[in-house]
Amino acid sequence: MEEGNQAMKLYSHPMSSCSRRVRLALNLKGIKYDCINITSTNHPELLKVNPMGYVPALVDGTIVISDSYAILLYLEEKYPLHSLLPQDLTRRAINYQVASIISSSIQPLQNMTLVNYIGEIVGPEEKLPWAQLHIRKGFVALEKLLMKYAGKYATGDEIYLADLYLAPQLDNAINRYKLDMSQDEFPLLIKLNETYSKLPFFQQV
């Protein structure tokens, strides 16, 4: 049961890939929660729980957690059913690595705050090339990393942590940043994106 028998509160944004990771995990584990959509980093209610003004932020009774990775690890420890991590140690490490590549080497460099800043100091025409450059670099690494481990999903035939990070990032890359992903360059990532796009589980967030 949720702490105090109350549903968790998730402060989220519909377009935030970080928020979508957490919503996917909550849905996968069957955890009830109230989703509070935030449209501004200056939203007073959000600033009360996360002074940084960033989403996602999770409130579980008296516990407040911000940052998607911290939230996901918290959920995994409190609700081990439908684990986000495989039992195999090597594949578990690959899940951590995928999460790290996306959260530290791709997402921050294509975050709209930074992309808009690039537009201000360099020129608006440089915003898209900047984002595409850093997304492509990360995707090249992910394509090589996952080739040995992928099954139906990123690291096997079950949905794990890597998929929760990868699905929203692929969606952002293709639909928001118009990244040209050729079959020759990214056969595995294209296949995974097609799999995600056909599953209501991924599409509902």
Side-chain angles (χ1 to χ4, degrees):
M1 293 290 288
E2 289 79 10
E3 186 167 305
N5 295 324
Q6 295 180 345
M8 295 180 178
K9 290 183 180 179
L10 177 68
Y11 293 83
S12 177
H13 187 286
M15 296 303 294
S16 163
S17 59
C18 299
S19 296
R20 281 184 279 172
R21 297 167 196 160
V22 175
R23 298 205 307 273
L24 284 168
L26 288 164
N27 292 344
L28 182 66
K29 289 179 173 292
I31 302 170
K32 292 182 179 180
Y33 67 100
D34 295 325
C35 188
I36 303 168
N37 283 318
I38 299 295
T39 57
S40 168
T41 56
N42 294 318
H43 194 290
E45 190 173 353
L46 175 63
L47 291 173
K48 287 180 182 178
V49 298
N50 183 8
M52 289 284 288
Y54 294 157
V55 293
L58 184 75
V59 178
D60 183 16
T62 60
I63 299 171
V64 180
I65 311 162
S66 58
D67 184 84
S68 62
Y69 191 63
I71 294 171
L72 291 171
L73 292 182
Y74 172 79
L75 294 175
E76 179 68 1
E77 292 189 16
K78 184 171 182 178
Y79 300 95
L81 191 64
H82 296 293
S83 179
L84 303 180
L85 295 164
Q87 289 295 315
D88 179 77
L89 184 59
T90 300
R91 290 180 185 272
R92 183 175 288 231
I94 296 301
N95 275 267
Y96 289 138
Q97 192 171 345
V98 170
S100 180
I101 289 171
I102 292 174
S103 64
S104 64
S105 300
I106 300 178
Q107 195 276 331
L109 296 171
Q110 52 100 86
N111 182 278
M112 287 304 299
T113 301
L114 178 57
V115 171
N116 287 335
Y117 182 66
I118 294 295
E120 291 174 9
I121 65 172
V122 182
E125 71 282 355
E126 294 301 321
K127 293 167 61 175
L128 206 57
W130 167 274
Q132 291 172 342
L133 171 68
H134 294 289
I135 295 170
R136 181 176 297 280
K137 184 176 180 181
F139 278 6
V140 168
L142 290 170
E143 180 77 23
K144 293 178 180 178
L145 175 67
L146 293 174
M147 194 62 70
K148 182 179 177 182
Y149 300 98
K152 182 178 180 181
Y153 302 109
T155 57
D157 293 328
E158 301 291 337
I159 295 170
Y160 289 124
L161 184 71
D163 301 290
L164 307 189
Y165 274 79
L166 193 54
Q169 184 59 63
L170 283 165
D171 181 66
N172 267 3
I174 295 168
N175 296 311
R176 177 183 288 185
Y177 294 111
K178 311 303 179 187
L179 184 68
D180 181 17
M181 296 182 63
S182 70
Q183 184 68 38
D184 290 339
E185 188 175 15
F186 300 114
L188 177 57
L189 293 185
I190 289 173
K191 173 179 171 289
L192 289 172
N193 185 61
E194 289 173 350
T195 298
Y196 300 144
S197 67
K198 293 175 183 176
L199 292 176
F201 169 76
F202 286 100
Q203 293 308 303
Q204 65 186 351
V205 301

